[in-house]
Amino acid sequence: MNKSLVVITGHSKGLGKALMHHYLSLDHYEVIGISRSTLDVESPKLRQVSLDLSDLDILKNELEEVFPKEDYQEIILINNAGWIGEIKPIGNMHPREMRIQVNVNLLAPMYLTNAFIKAYKNHPSRKLVCNISSGAATRPVAGWGGYCSTKAALAMFTMVANKESGSSDFRFFSLAPGIVDTEMQAEIREAAETDFPELKKFLEFKEQGELVNPEDVAKKIEYLLSNPDQFPEVSQDVRHYEIS
Ligand SMILES: NC(=O)c1ccc[n+]([C@@H]2O[C@H](COP(=O)([O-])OP(=O)(O)OC[C@H]3O[C@@H](n4cnc5c(N)ncnc54)[C@H](OP(=O)(O)O)[C@@H]3O)[C@@H](O)[C@H]2O)c1
């Protein structure tokens, strides 16, 4: 048995799409992609699941069915789906958008991590969970109240999962991907400066070519997950290591 499985949320765009293509290009990986939309990609190694991760009923009732019972050499969960949310100062945020953001950025990866451990704790495979974090998990950014908070909470959840895992064959990472050239960055650049004082800086990142390609980040994430022994800490940042 030499096949491996990677489950990627938010596979339809940006970093998740690059991760999906990268893993599909590697012979032994099967991919399950979870997003609201699906992609026109024909591959016998890809299963796309259309789910709205902000829907609490779906989180409660459907997530456990996502994980196949077959044996794999290695099983990876990458909780990548995320939403920058409404870019507004606290006091002007809308409860509906706040709830959607907490569900997508925090509750969904918590539910999925929980379901993943439950599904595979007795499997002999190597098991890895990579929760995509952000520099915003440790740095307060005006206008990003929901984003900073949900990323910080997810990073702590990942650290607790790691602490509980002890000497088991699970590994957990909270991984910051850098500033990546995706639709999320385009959404950030559309914010009003009155709501988002750092707007100019983010416009300059794009103008000065400082955003990184999602494909390059996907390769670095796959490298880390293929060589976890080189990365003993739970919290990682792709900007802190190079691959050849
Ligand atoms: N881009 C950056 O500079 C940057 C920096 C730091 C961290 N990150 C993190 O990296 C991850 C990927 O970001 P990205 O820049 O690639 O974002 P993106 O281009 O906006 O893509 C977001 C992905 O999440 C999915 N998604 C959003 N809401 C969903 C929902 N309700 N249900 C299911 N799927 C949902 C989207 O799919 P559908 O729309 O089809 O549902 C899409 O595939 C996120 O966790 C983000 O916070 C990004």
Side-chain angles (χ1 to χ4, degrees), residues 156-174:
M156 178 53 79
F157 183 77
T158 314
M159 288 192 271
V160 173
N162 178 67
K163 188 150 206 163
E164 290 173 354
S165 70
S167 58
S168 76
D169 44 11
F170 282 94
R171 281 296 311 270
F172 296 89
F173 290 106
S174 171

Side-chain angles (χ1 to χ4, degrees), residues 9-16 34-38 51-54 79-83 100 104 132-135 147 151 177-185 187:
T9 67
H11 77 296
S12 64
K13 302 186 182 91
L15 178 57
I34 306 173
S35 298
R36 285 167 301 185
S37 47
T38 51
L51 286 182
D52 183 347
L53 292 170
S54 75
N79 280 307
N80 162 79
W83 183 39
I100 290 172
V104 175
I132 299 297
S133 188
S134 165
Y147 188 70
K151 289 294 184 186
I179 305 174
V180 195
D181 199 359
T182 66
E183 284 184 29
M184 182 179 282
Q185 283 294 326
E187 224 176 311

